[in-house]
Amino acid sequence: MGQTTIRCLVGQSAGRPVLLGFAPAHLLHSVSFADILDEDGGRGYQRRLNEHHSLDFRRYIQRESSTTIPLTFNLRPRDDAAWSIVPLGQSGAELCFSTEMGKIFAQVDCQHRLGHLSGLELSLPFMSFIGLSEREEMEIFNVINSKAKGLSASLLDFHDARLASDLATDRPELYIAIFLKNDPGSPWYQQLDLGGASTSGLDRRASLRTFQKAIKLFLSKSGVLRGASVDVAAQLVLDFWSAVVLVLNDAWSKPRKHLLTKGIGVYALMEIAAEIVTGARPGAVVDKRYFAAALMDFATDFDWSNDGPLKGLGGESGVKAAVAMLRQVRRDARLKVVSNG
């Protein structure tokens, strides 16, 4: 079995030991992998590959005066001795590995730069952490990319959920959003886009970031956590959206033609949900039936289509306008009931 070696320097990146070296682009491409988040299976942490971004870098890096900062990898621990580091003097080393034993480098911060560089001979610099666990790798990825333009905020939120020691206390809105995404009885089961890869990606209705921010609005407006646990609040949100699906099934089942599950609809409905909760009679059981009855009185009279009154609304001012419309429809429905009575 033929061995490949890369001459490197050994040093420290703050508190972590690293290798620094240079290698042909095609070699680094062939022996590395991006650990794409499998949203269905829950493994991995990277975003989906942006083909255009990656091809743009391939075009750029072949220009005469092009350059790049070091590609960042991690040599994950393995039981099969697929790689080894042989010290050479005070700060030198050789990274030894066999290309026949699979990919040894996890791409911590270079997926889009390296994604379309197969076949290129040009030399690229790299830095590799040594022996980080998958969790440690994900933590570093989060630090590096937390402000990265174009990186899915939902993916970073999902990382926070996996890394948090007490998510229910630290970020209850994210805890509830993850609960609704993972509960098979939830209308949002596997319906939130995390920014990874999924076999059901075409069916996604909203992003995790949008949904958890709307839940945060609901928690703030309703004050439910002042007298109830986060699990009770999660059940309230589940019951509300179950009622939405029951009452507004046509708009829910055709998300491409309606704004019900787009940002504007989700935010507005979560604020209306808070008003339904705070307006409940003392002692009333606020559950799916309660929410359905409240929604049936007005929500079916509202045009949720892409060409309806919510068309073009966005941002905080758009949400305020949408909530004002729904409140008015709700008031009109109540007045109609009173006048008919």
Side-chain angles (χ1 to χ4, degrees):
M1 186 179 292
Q3 285 285 106
T4 299
T5 61
I6 302 177
R7 186 70 66 91
C8 302
L9 292 174
V10 181
Q12 293 284 126
S13 177
R16 301 282 188 176
V18 297
L19 296 177
L20 292 172
F22 299 86
H26 69 84
L27 176 62
L28 294 174
H29 177 277
S30 68
V31 297
S32 67
F33 65 96
D35 198 359
I36 306 297
L37 171 64
D38 175 3
E39 296 188 19
D40 301 322
R43 291 294 305 275
Y45 64 91
Q46 294 265 12
R47 56 180 149 169
R48 297 181 288 264
L49 178 69
N50 184 316
E51 300 282 356
H52 294 296
H53 184 173
S54 189
L55 287 169
D56 283 346
F57 183 79
R58 179 185 171 92
R59 283 190 289 269
Y60 161 76
I61 201 63
Q62 295 182 84
R63 295 176 183 171
E64 184 176 350
S65 60
S66 65
T67 189
T68 185
I69 59 176
L71 309 175
T72 307
F73 300 109
N74 175 40
L75 286 163
R76 285 187 182 172
R78 290 177 56 158
D79 297 328
D80 58 1
W83 57 267
S84 63
I85 298 172
V86 180
L88 295 176
Q90 185 174 0
S91 58
E94 281 187 341
L95 172 63
C96 304
F97 57 94
S98 170
T99 55
E100 298 175 17
M101 295 184 69
K103 300 177 185 292
I104 62 167
F105 283 127
Q107 298 172 3
V108 179
D109 186 39
C110 59
Q111 178 197 167
H112 289 91
R113 283 180 288 164
L114 202 51
H116 280 283
L117 297 192
S118 61
L120 295 188
E121 290 287 343
L122 54 86
S123 178
L124 293 177
F126 71 89
M127 181 188 86
S128 179
F129 295 101
I130 304 170
L132 295 181
S133 68
E134 292 181 37
R135 182 183 178 88
E136 290 171 323
E137 196 178 293
M138 182 170 65
E139 289 173 340
I140 289 174
F141 173 86
N142 247 28
V143 170
I144 293 173
N145 291 287
S146 60
K147 300 299 182 184
K149 182 178 180 181
L151 183 64
S152 166
S154 292
L155 184 60
L156 295 175
D157 286 336
F158 187 62
H159 292 168
D160 286 346
R162 295 169 72 181
L163 296 171
S165 58
D166 187 1
L167 186 63
T169 299
D170 297 338
R171 295 186 64 182
E173 69 281 0
L174 184 53
Y175 175 90
I176 294 172
I178 294 292
F179 165 72
L180 264 72
K181 174 196 173 293
N182 292 337
D183 190 313
S186 165
W188 290 100
Y189 178 62
Q190 304 294 21
Q191 296 297 310
L192 295 174
D193 187 359
L194 307 182
S198 172
T199 56
S200 57
L202 292 176
D203 297 328
R204 298 304 165 93
R205 286 179 163 82
S207 70
L208 177 66
R209 170 55 66 95
T210 293
F211 196 51
Q212 63 101 1
K213 287 178 71 175
I215 292 171
K216 186 174 184 178
L217 176 68
F218 166 78
L219 295 176
S220 173
K221 297 285 186 178
S222 68
V224 65
L225 290 182
R226 289 195 290 269
S229 70
V230 68
D231 290 312
V232 170
Q235 187 62 48
L236 271 177
V237 177
L238 190 156
D239 284 345
F240 174 75
W241 282 101
S242 296
V244 168
V245 174
L246 178 64
V247 174
L248 301 170
N249 188 259
D250 185 60
W252 173 269
S253 62
K254 299 173 183 175
R256 295 181 183 274
K257 297 182 178 181
H258 298 84
L259 297 174
L260 186 75
T261 59
K262 302 301 187 292
I264 192 72
V266 173
Y267 282 117
L269 279 171
M270 280 276 80
E271 187 156 344
I272 294 299
E275 294 181 1
I276 293 173
V277 170
T278 56
R281 307 182 305 277
V285 177
V286 181
D287 56 10
K288 176 182 175 180
R289 288 187 178 184
Y290 188 93
F291 282 124
L295 289 168
M296 185 62 75
D297 289 342
F298 74 97
T300 55
D301 295 329
F302 192 77
D303 182 1
W304 295 96
S305 72
N306 293 342
D307 295 320
L310 299 184
K311 181 180 180 180
L313 295 182
E316 188 175 338
S317 61
V319 172
K320 289 181 179 178
V323 171
M325 291 180 201
L326 289 173
R327 283 177 181 153
Q328 186 60 53
V329 173
R330 197 176 178 205
R331 280 194 295 267
D332 292 345
R334 286 173 175 169
L335 290 174
K336 187 184 297 184
V337 170
V338 172
S339 62
N340 290 338

